[in-house]
Amino acid sequence: MTFPTTRIEAVMASVRARLNDRSWLPGARLPSVRAQAKTLQVSVSTVVEAYERLAAEGLIQARPGSGFYAAGPVAPLALAEMGPPRDRQVDPLWLARQSLDPEAGVLKPGSGWLPSDWMYVEGIRRGLRSAARASSTALADYASPLGLPPLRQLLSRRLAGHAVEAVPEQIMLTESGSHAVDLICRFLLEPGDTVLIDDPCYFNFLALLKAHRVQVVGVPYTPNGPDVEAFAAALQAHAPRLYITNSGIHNPTGATLSPATAHRLLSLADSSDLIIVEDDLFADFEHTPAPRLAAFDGLSRVIQVGSFSKTLSASVRCGYIAARRDWIDGLADLKIATSFGGGRLAADILHAALTDSGYRRHLENVRVRLTVARELTLARLAPLGITPWTVPQAGMLLWCRLPEGLDAAAIARRCLAEGVMLAPGNAFSPSLRAAGFLRFNAAQAQDARVFEVLAKAMTASHADAA
């Protein structure tokens, strides 16, 4: 992404952004030159020159005596061009691409998943062998609209372990956790609606909400959950339709929602039209289950989603939605309309792995390994002056503060050149107020070279600032 260097280019970038996010469709009248100048706090002549250049490019049209209008056709949806320009290192889409890039030799302590040799690969292999012996119907036909019944029954029992009451008819399988959130957004949102998210939050929430062309409002996150006073103020000021969060193990901070905060959030939600989407992706990493909004609420205005990509396999894709029955009916229709049938084979494989006798022991081993990895990672970061914002009770994620004066994006840029992919804080922050933070994945930070490269990058950044 290129950044404007002059005021004229800044005006042009602002207009392009509105065209790219389809705020102005073909034929829509642009703000007058004087109105645009006042909004962007530039001179009238600057706006005139910007509009004329855009007209020369064919993006807008001048109509004598009437003003300037958006030209057709509708711009293709370009997520990377929507919203204010971001440094490449803190753009959620760019970070996702780097995390998913299979380039050999690159260390990824900024990624959000376990190393492949920490996953339950043997269980997946046994599931594959079991699936290979299944009937031709299981191997070749579409899945039912709600998905594999035995897996939904298993999920119902697993949810009950977190005090979430959901019969199998209240559970629908999806292609992934991201697919689950996308379906819910399609189901409940219109372009222009407001959605609350945590600040910081899982970076792909930011990317996904761009695609739905909604207004995003961040609520500061604390070690006990969202700042309740700021949450109440956002409800009052913006009348949001949705709030999307993690409650078990929060991404990126690793924090845990407290019961008191959960009750206050639901009390606030009850006094509004807010619907809460609770992403429970990391549930299996907990030693003791944290409070679940869906449990307190009884799936009345809370929808819970999850998947198995963090504990079983990111290659065999399957997620779920647990919600009110009437909403599940509507979501099933939407799922059929957009993807027709679900992945039956993936559901069969994952059901076999989840019910395999070794899965419980696998998770116990992973939890122990993660405890050791978190402690070791924090011990290696401490001599560099990097400190945890909070010390998580479980999981792989560490949200850490850099020494004063250092910029996480600059550090990440230097480290990537040395083959170490980091996750700078502003990739997770809708307000871009986390420039001094990095998210570390303790499981992916076991190679000493991570800290050697990081120390070198910090030294170089200190020298630049001096």
Side-chain angles (χ1 to χ4, degrees):
M1 178 180 291
T2 59
F3 290 81
T5 58
T6 68
R7 290 180 179 179
I8 293 172
E9 290 175 348
V11 175
M12 295 173 69
S14 175
V15 173
R16 286 196 186 98
R18 299 296 298 276
L19 296 172
N20 285 331
D21 68 14
R22 303 179 187 179
S23 296
W24 295 332
L25 295 174
R29 188 175 186 275
L30 274 62
S32 70
V33 168
R34 292 187 183 280
Q36 189 75 287
K38 183 177 181 180
T39 299
L40 300 179
Q41 296 184 328
V42 296
S43 68
V44 168
S45 61
T46 295
V47 177
V48 169
E49 179 62 21
Y51 277 12
E52 290 294 347
R53 292 187 189 184
L54 291 165
E57 293 179 14
L59 295 177
I60 63 176
Q61 295 175 334
R63 298 181 187 175
S66 179
F68 290 85
Y69 292 79
V74 177
L77 188 62
L79 296 183
E81 300 298 326
M82 293 171 63
R86 284 175 174 248
D87 185 292
R88 185 173 66 165
Q89 267 68 32
V90 300
D91 181 80
L93 292 167
W94 188 87
L95 183 60
R97 285 173 180 257
Q98 295 304 308
S99 299
L100 295 168
D101 191 333
E103 184 178 347
V106 175
L107 302 176
K108 297 185 177 181
S111 68
W113 52 84
L114 295 177
S116 59
D117 59 357
W118 286 44
M119 303 288 270
Y120 193 40
V121 176
E122 285 307 311
I124 294 295
R125 286 198 175 104
R126 284 193 283 271
L128 283 165
R129 290 194 289 268
S130 174
R133 297 191 295 269
S135 67
S136 58
T137 298
L139 291 171
D141 272 2
Y142 290 107
S144 63
L146 296 187
L148 186 71
L151 181 52
R152 290 189 290 112
Q153 291 165 2
L154 176 63
L155 284 170
S156 177
R157 293 193 295 270
R158 284 164 58 92
L159 289 170
H162 291 131
V164 179
E165 295 183 10
V167 297
E169 291 74 24
Q170 288 180 268
I171 300 170
M172 182 180 78
L173 302 185
T174 62
E175 300 303 310
S176 66
S178 294
H179 181 226
V181 177
D182 181 49
L183 283 174
I184 292 166
C185 288
R186 289 172 183 263
F187 183 59
L188 294 172
L189 295 177
E190 295 288 342
D193 283 349
T194 298
V195 177
L196 298 186
I197 55 176
D198 300 321
D199 191 355
C201 69
Y202 171 43
F203 65 81
N204 205 47
F205 288 160
L206 294 170
L208 178 61
L209 291 171
K210 272 188 179 183
H212 287 280
R213 305 193 297 284
V214 297
Q215 303 298 315
V216 171
V217 174
V219 176
Y221 207 76
T222 79
N224 295 315
D227 182 309
V228 177
E229 298 305 321
F231 193 92
L235 283 180
Q236 182 69 28
H238 302 285
R241 176 66 168 153
L242 289 184
Y243 167 50
I244 305 178
T245 187
N246 311 111
S247 61
I249 299 175
H250 184 256
N251 186 1
T253 66
T256 300
L257 181 69
S258 73
T261 301
H263 281 294
R264 293 184 67 188
L265 285 180
L266 289 172
S267 294
L268 290 169
D270 283 340
S271 64
S272 70
D273 293 326
L274 184 73
I275 297 168
I276 298 174
V277 180
E278 181 177 53
D279 186 346
D280 204 19
L281 186 63
F282 298 105
D284 280 350
F285 293 138
E286 292 178 291
H287 298 280
T288 302
R292 295 302 194 270
L293 294 168
F296 292 139
D297 172 74
L299 293 179
S300 174
R301 63 172 61 250
V302 176
I303 302 173
Q304 190 175 101
V305 304
S307 81
F308 312 100
S309 61
K310 301 300 187 256
T311 54
L312 281 171
S313 171
S315 181
V316 183
R317 305 289 283 166
C318 185
Y320 70 87
I321 298 172
R324 290 166 28 180
R325 290 197 195 202
D326 56 328
W327 287 356
I328 287 292
D329 285 342
L331 285 162
D333 288 341
L334 187 56
K335 176 184 170 184
I336 291 169
T338 55
S339 60
F340 201 72
R344 176 168 179 168
L345 187 58
D348 276 326
I349 293 168
L350 290 173
H351 179 259
L354 287 166
T355 55
D356 187 88
S357 61
Y359 185 59
R360 181 182 60 81
R361 293 191 299 274
H362 161 74
L363 285 181
E364 289 176 351
N365 180 57
V366 167
R367 293 184 194 117
V368 171
R369 293 180 73 180
L370 283 174
T371 298
V372 173
R374 288 195 307 275
E375 293 173 354
L376 180 58
T377 301
L378 290 174
R380 285 172 162 173
L381 291 172
L384 303 179
I386 300 176
T387 56
W389 176 76
T390 188
V391 178
Q393 300 174 17
M396 67 186 86
L397 303 179
L398 297 168
W399 184 242
C400 295
R401 183 181 288 106
L402 288 167
E404 189 69 27
L406 290 183
D407 179 72
I411 299 291
R413 192 180 301 112
R414 293 180 186 276
C415 288
L416 188 61
E418 299 292 329
V420 175
M421 196 281 292
L422 296 177
N426 272 348
F428 305 88
S429 174
S431 67
L432 299 179
R433 294 177 182 171
F437 286 82
L438 286 166
R439 186 193 73 177
F440 289 94
N441 178 342
Q444 297 274 11
Q446 299 304 292
D447 192 314
R449 189 161 69 91
V450 169
F451 306 94
E452 295 166 4
V453 170
L454 179 57
K456 179 181 174 182
M458 291 174 65
T459 299
S461 291
H462 274 304
D464 287 348

